[in-house]
Amino acid sequence: MKRKALEKPSVLQFPINDKCDSKCLMCNIWENKISDDISPDMLQKGLSSNLFSKVKSVGINGGEPTLRNDIVDIIESVIFNLSALEQISLITNGYKTEKVIDRIEDIGRLTKEHGIKLDVMVSLDGYGEIHDKVRRRSNFFNNAIETLSSLKSSQYVDSVRVGCTVIQENVNYLQDLLDFCILKGFYIKFRLGIPHKRLYTESKNDTYLSSDSDKYEFSEFIANLLEHYEREPQQRDFYQSLIGQLVLNNPRKAGCLWQYKGATLTHDGKLLYCAVKSKVIHNDITQGNLTTSYFKSESHLRRIVDEECSSCHHDYVGELAKKEKVLRKIKRTSLYRIGKSTVKKVSLFNAMSKYVGYNHRYIKAKKVQTEDEFEVTQLSILVCGWYGTETLGDKAILAGIVSTIKRSKLSHYHIYLCSLNPYLSKETVRQMPELSAVTVLSVAQSVHSMKSAKFSCLIFGGGPIMTTPPVVEVSLLFDIANKMKIQTVLAGCGVGPFSERQLMPYLVNIIAKANTRIFRDNESLVRAQDLTEIRKSDAVTNDPSFTWLASNETIALDNSSSDKRKVLVLGLRDIPFKEYAHELDSVTAKRIKYNFEVKLIDGLIAVCEQIPDLRIIPVPMCTNHFGSDDRWYYRGLFRGHEKLMSNIDMQFLYNELAPSAYLRAFQLSDACLTMRFHALAFGLATNKRCVVLDYTFGKGKVKALADKYQQPNVSISDVESAWIVKHLLSALISPTEGSRELIDDTFSKELLESMSTISDA
């Protein structure tokens, strides 16, 4: 890649002192008792260098910069000597509220006088006690909030933001802080805590995110930021790049001005390139020729760029490389165009667009790279589907399929899982002991491995066969299996929806090429037989998730708790209009969504008025952004509804938990209010009365399952608050008329029969 030529700095980072009144877990500056800082006069002499003639923006930080009594004089030296200056950004912890506000307003008067924009960022690393724990000082959060509120109303500050540094201590509680900032109108930026030369933390690794689970959790959080919150282009680029770095081990792709036109001044007057990795390139800015030192040290900067930048997680931003800008533009504007004949010609391929936030997957015909190759050395079974985007229901389905395979007559085999996003499926495997023997493969690895004679069976593992872009990839796997004479099974699948009609040939291809077809309901059987030939061997069973759910029914319940309140579990989701009501225009869809949510909230409030101590537990059936993360939906739904919040138990709206933890919530509940198909399945399997809000508009899987087991249900377009209140009160208060038998596991019997012809040989 062609390097950008080194230019005079347009951005300057300037930590003006080296001590702090905080004791942050991720920083060691606070251990310094003395800070030998450059004086305003010496700073003025240094900044008079022609090197700084193009500096437009200066970042003032520390330490805690407001601890300097002469901070206004420092800012005055900056303004008077940087002729191109447009903005000063100052970062403060806001702890000593009165002093911080007084000094920032003094600075603001000065910047206003000279037409310079003043931006202030206040550090908040969590909501309430989480922030205090990270800062290791009591009452830190309250003081910082008071500082934020005062600065927001100040006539001398142009913009106020919040900055959060993410470490192990706070990674699972970021959403609480975001909710607070949204309610209060503060923009917040999240940065990853990293080993940092200037902060004396190059070897302080125990504080930063190190486990795969922590990296996964933070990646999903920022993926949802991209989906629901962040709109600034360069910050979006940084977040997207960081996700790739954390969970895919990709090199950094975010831009960074310090690679070619950025500089750092230290508190004692030294010159560096970036603060994270640069050595001192000029020891005293008041002496000698800074411009010469800056340009003659370029080889050091190039070494940093070549050896360090690709793994850097620091939140510097800047323009993307030209190649990356072009690629992202193509991804954002291209339509999904691929014909069936093209797929048939593809022998090996890579799925592009691994970053988060794109709506489509792009197939590229080329050889699988060496690092994607994976050799299968024993009899193997490959499970595919929408894994890599799995919901809690998908996890239950997978566990049901794997447990059934383990009960087969096969004695020597290995189970592989084809995943659209392997990092996500690996987290699923980590969460479930039932999946300990499963190996996760990428789509490219799966395609390569399918050509091995060692594969004996390809299973489409439950869920719906529907017309979303990854159906092309699954169709290709079925083509290869058919060519290689590998047995293929549809294992408890639904059929539809068909929102993207141009992808119907791939859906039909999957159904037609399956040797064994097991459907989860009669409606799916009828749809499949309408699309392909009718087979006498086609079977209808319960959803495969019931196999896993039935195996967990004997978990002992702890009834010794002193909390005897009624418990209502929620299994709600955002409405997927695109898949289930694609014929609706956006205005109509938004109106239906708004009316539904108003009636839902009103209904829940009315139920709480009848049962004041009701405990409402929102359970997220999806905890990844690919399937519309329910944690984010719940928080947005309840945000600002104070009448309801005292009844809401938020325990499941933080980090992702193992499926068994969510199942236990259903087991301990008195009733369930559900939208998601598998929320209803979990409720039925645990013998709970369910009230069902049908987002399939009366023509899909949710209504079919609710009607089958005679659970009250209504389309979201027709629901009224009174209907919700009536049926919830009945479910919560009225005794159940007899205990419903747990749903029979009919699925495993059919799957075992389909595998009876597979040989160990």
Side-chain angles (χ1 to χ4, degrees):
M1 183 176 68
K2 187 177 180 181
R3 294 170 173 167
K4 292 186 176 181
L6 183 60
E7 304 175 20
K8 286 183 178 181
S10 65
V11 289
L12 184 64
Q13 183 181 179
F14 182 21
I16 64 174
N17 64 350
D18 204 35
K19 62 181 181 179
C20 190
D21 50 0
S22 176
K23 295 182 179 181
C24 299
L25 288 168
M26 61 283 190
C27 176
N28 288 337
I29 282 181
W30 61 272
E31 294 180 346
N32 296 334
K33 304 306 179 187
I34 298 175
S35 181
D36 186 17
D37 304 325
I38 189 171
S39 69
D41 290 341
M42 292 297 99
L43 176 64
Q44 184 167 332
K45 183 177 179 181
L47 290 180
S48 65
S49 168
N50 187 53
L51 175 65
F52 303 116
S53 62
K54 294 187 177 181
V55 171
K56 295 181 179 180
S57 178
V58 175
I60 302 294
N61 49 65
E64 169 51 43
T66 61
L67 291 179
R68 285 198 63 161
N69 295 325
D70 59 354
I71 185 172
V72 177
D73 296 328
I74 289 290
I75 300 299
E76 188 173 38
S77 294
V78 169
I79 292 174
F80 285 172
N81 286 276
L82 301 181
S83 58
L85 187 65
E86 298 175 358
Q87 174 174 298
I88 290 175
S89 297
L90 185 146
I91 300 177
T92 177
N93 61 32
Y95 180 53
K96 295 180 178 176
T97 300
E98 187 174 341
K99 179 184 288 187
V100 170
I101 292 170
D102 286 346
R103 290 187 172 170
I104 289 178
E105 291 213 330
D106 286 343
I107 293 169
R109 292 185 183 92
L110 188 61
T111 55
K112 282 287 185 188
E113 180 183 342
H114 292 87
I116 306 297
K117 180 181 177 182
L118 177 60
D119 169 78
V120 179
M121 176 177 283
V122 178
S123 297
L124 279 180
D125 300 321
Y127 180 76
E129 65 177 14
I130 299 298
H131 182 61
D132 291 358
K133 286 180 179 179
V134 173
R135 297 278 156 167
R136 292 192 286 193
R137 296 290 296 267
S138 61
N139 213 40
F140 217 122
F141 179 78
N142 291 334
N143 289 6
I145 295 307
E146 186 178 347
T147 301
L148 264 170
S149 300
S150 296
L151 292 175
K152 187 178 180 181
S153 61
S154 172
Q155 61 178 312
Y156 301 110
V157 179
D158 295 284
S159 59
V160 180
R161 299 179 293 156
V162 172
C164 174
T165 300
V166 180
I167 57 174
Q168 289 182 19
E169 188 75 26
N170 64 2
V171 65
N172 293 324
Y173 305 98
L174 302 177
Q175 186 63 269
D176 283 345
L177 179 59
L178 177 64
D179 284 347
F180 171 80
C181 288
I182 290 173
L183 281 171
K184 297 297 183 181
F186 297 121
Y187 168 79
I188 182 169
K189 183 174 81 167
F190 296 87
R191 63 168 72 92
L192 191 62
I194 61 171
H196 197 304
K197 178 179 289 189
R198 187 178 66 80
L199 306 181
Y200 310 104
T201 58
E202 290 178 291
S203 60
K204 193 179 177 71
N205 294 317
D206 57 336
T207 300
Y208 306 118
L209 301 192
S210 56
S211 73
D212 290 338
S213 292
D214 281 347
K215 291 176 182 178
Y216 165 80
E217 198 63 47
F218 184 49
S219 295
E220 276 304 311
F221 177 78
I222 55 180
N224 277 296
L225 284 179
L226 289 166
E227 185 77 17
H228 302 287
Y229 182 75
E230 185 58 61
R231 293 293 174 261
E232 200 282 318
Q234 288 189 349
Q235 189 62 33
R236 287 180 62 84
D237 289 334
F238 172 73
Y239 282 153
Q240 287 168 344
S241 174
L242 188 56
I243 291 169
Q245 289 179 272
L246 290 176
V247 295
L248 302 176
N249 294 317
N250 287 341
R252 177 185 172 114
K253 294 187 177 181
C256 176
L257 292 176
W258 275 262
Q259 290 183 337
Y260 66 101
K261 58 175 181 180
T264 301
L265 295 184
T266 65
H267 70 100
D268 54 355
K270 296 178 174 62
L271 179 67
L272 297 74
Y273 292 118
C274 81
V276 181
K277 292 292 183 179
S278 177
K279 68 179 183 181
V280 173
I281 60 174
H282 194 96
N283 200 53
D284 183 351
I285 63 170
T286 67
Q287 304 292 326
N289 192 318
L290 273 64
T291 303
T292 299
S293 297
Y294 180 81
F295 284 99
K296 281 195 172 182
S297 301
E298 184 175 2
S299 61
H300 172 58
L301 176 60
R302 293 307 161 205
R303 187 203 64 77
I304 294 173
V305 172
D306 292 342
E307 299 177 13
E308 306 284 356
C309 287
S310 64
S311 60
C312 179
H313 296 159
H314 195 57
D315 63 329
Y316 286 145
V317 297
E319 292 183 3
L320 293 171
K322 185 175 181 181
K323 179 180 178 181
E324 184 66 17
K325 288 170 71 174
V326 171
L327 179 60
R328 293 204 177 176
K329 185 175 181 180
I330 291 172
K331 288 180 180 180
R332 287 168 178 156
T333 59
S334 296
L335 297 175
Y336 190 93
R337 301 188 186 101
I338 185 166
K340 186 175 181 180
S341 60
T342 304
V343 173
K344 283 190 172 182
K345 294 176 183 177
V346 176
S347 58
L348 298 174
F349 70 96
N350 270 339
M352 293 179 64
S353 185
K354 293 296 185 184
Y355 289 123
V356 182
Y358 305 122
N359 294 323
H360 300 299
R361 186 168 298 275
Y362 300 82
I363 310 275
K364 186 174 183 181
K366 71 174 188 178
K367 286 187 177 181
V368 178
Q369 300 298 317
T370 303
E371 59 267 26
D372 286 331
E373 294 179 359
F374 192 91
E375 185 177 1
V376 175
T377 58
Q378 65 182 96
L379 177 68
S380 299
I381 296 167
L382 182 66
V383 180
C384 68
W386 312 133
Y387 297 101
T389 67
E390 58 258 29
T391 64
L392 180 55
D394 294 324
K395 295 175 183 181
I397 289 171
L398 181 59
I401 291 170
V402 169
S403 66
T404 301
I405 294 172
K406 289 179 179 179
R407 290 159 50 196
S408 71
K409 66 181 182 64
L410 299 174
S411 57
H412 304 289
Y413 63 89
H414 190 81
I415 301 172
Y416 292 94
L417 179 66
C418 176
S419 176
L420 303 171
N421 298 285
Y423 78 89
L424 194 147
S425 296
K426 288 177 181 177
E427 186 65 19
T428 295
V429 170
R430 281 193 290 268
Q431 293 169 355
M432 304 185 76
E434 304 95 317
L435 305 179
S436 59
V438 174
T439 300
V440 178
L441 301 180
S442 68
V443 176
Q445 288 172 331
S446 299
V447 170
H448 174 80
S449 301
M450 280 283 289
K451 293 186 173 292
S452 165
K454 292 288 184 180
F455 265 107
S456 58
C457 187
L458 172 66
I459 297 175
F460 192 116
I465 308 170
M466 57 185 180
T467 56
T468 56
V471 75
V472 180
E473 301 173 12
V474 177
S475 179
L476 177 58
L477 290 175
F478 272 72
D479 281 341
I480 296 172
N482 184 259
K483 185 176 181 180
M484 299 292 295
K485 309 298 183 186
I486 297 170
Q487 183 170 338
T488 52
V489 181
L490 300 185
C493 295
V495 178
F498 310 137
S499 56
E500 298 187 50
R501 304 295 297 189
Q502 73 273 26
L503 299 177
M504 281 296 290
Y506 309 109
L507 180 148
V508 173
N509 183 56
I510 294 169
I511 299 173
K513 283 196 168 69
N515 304 125
T516 301
R517 307 194 306 195
I518 305 169
F519 298 100
R520 70 182 176 197
D521 51 49
N522 285 314
E523 290 78 2
S524 296
L525 171 65
V526 171
R527 288 178 182 174
Q529 293 181 339
D530 284 344
L531 293 169
T532 60
E533 82 285 356
I534 297 175
R535 299 184 193 170
K536 291 183 179 179
S537 60
D538 287 345
V540 176
T541 69
N542 285 318
D543 188 81
S545 63
F546 287 112
T547 299
W548 179 75
L549 289 166
S551 71
N552 281 273
E553 65 144 322
T554 57
I555 293 177
L557 300 183
D558 180 9
N559 294 315
S560 63
S561 172
S562 60
D563 189 348
K564 302 301 182 183
R565 292 179 295 170
K566 292 285 187 179
V567 176
L568 173 65
V569 157
L570 304 182
L572 309 180
R573 66 164 301 166
D574 202 357
I575 305 169
F577 287 105
K578 180 182 176 184
E579 289 83 5
Y580 289 93
H582 57 275
E583 71 280 0
L584 294 179
D585 62 83
S586 61
V587 174
T588 303
K590 288 178 181 178
R591 184 175 68 249
I592 292 173
K593 175 181 169 70
Y594 174 79
N595 290 336
F596 163 70
E597 291 178 353
V598 167
K599 291 169 182 176
L600 171 62
I601 293 295
D602 287 347
L604 289 173
I605 290 173
V607 170
C608 290
E609 289 172 350
Q610 295 292 315
I611 311 176
D613 62 348
L614 178 65
R615 185 175 163 213
I616 300 176
I617 304 179
V619 173
M621 301 300 293
C622 178
T623 48
N624 65 74
H625 70 284
F626 296 104
S628 186
D629 193 326
D630 294 340
R631 294 171 296 182
W632 287 67
Y633 178 67
Y634 283 128
R635 286 178 177 272
L637 179 67
F638 299 137
R639 191 178 294 131
H641 294 287
E642 295 302 322
K643 286 185 178 180
L644 196 56
M645 287 306 295
S646 60
N647 294 90
I648 302 292
D649 183 339
M650 305 277 281
Q651 64 175 300
F652 293 116
L653 303 188
Y654 294 95
N655 57 306
E656 182 177 318
L657 302 175
S660 57
Y662 302 114
L663 174 58
R664 188 170 180 79
F666 281 89
Q667 290 173 320
L668 294 172
S669 69
D670 294 289
C672 308
L673 177 63
T674 70
M675 285 176 67
R676 282 194 182 269
F677 175 87
H678 282 106
L680 176 55
F682 274 52
L684 292 170
T686 53
N687 202 21
K688 304 303 175 184
R689 296 186 65 178
C690 300
V691 179
V692 184
L693 305 172
D694 176 20
Y695 70 83
T696 63
F697 297 91
K699 55 187 178 182
K701 57 186 179 181
V702 176
K703 180 172 177 55
L705 185 61
D707 285 346
K708 181 177 180 179
Y709 293 100
Q710 300 178 324
Q711 301 301 296
N713 62 90
V714 63
S715 171
I716 57 168
S717 59
D718 301 325
V719 69
E720 296 293 339
S721 299
W723 186 93
I724 294 174
V725 174
K726 172 187 173 182
H727 289 285
L728 281 184
L729 289 176
S730 174
L732 288 163
I733 297 174
S734 301
T736 304
E737 296 179 4
S739 177
R740 183 178 65 246
E741 291 184 8
L742 289 176
I743 297 171
D744 292 336
D745 174 19
T746 57
F747 166 76
S748 59
K749 178 182 176 181
E750 290 290 341
L751 181 58
L752 285 171
E753 185 175 332
S754 74
M755 299 181 66
S756 61
T757 59
I758 301 175
S759 170
D760 277 8

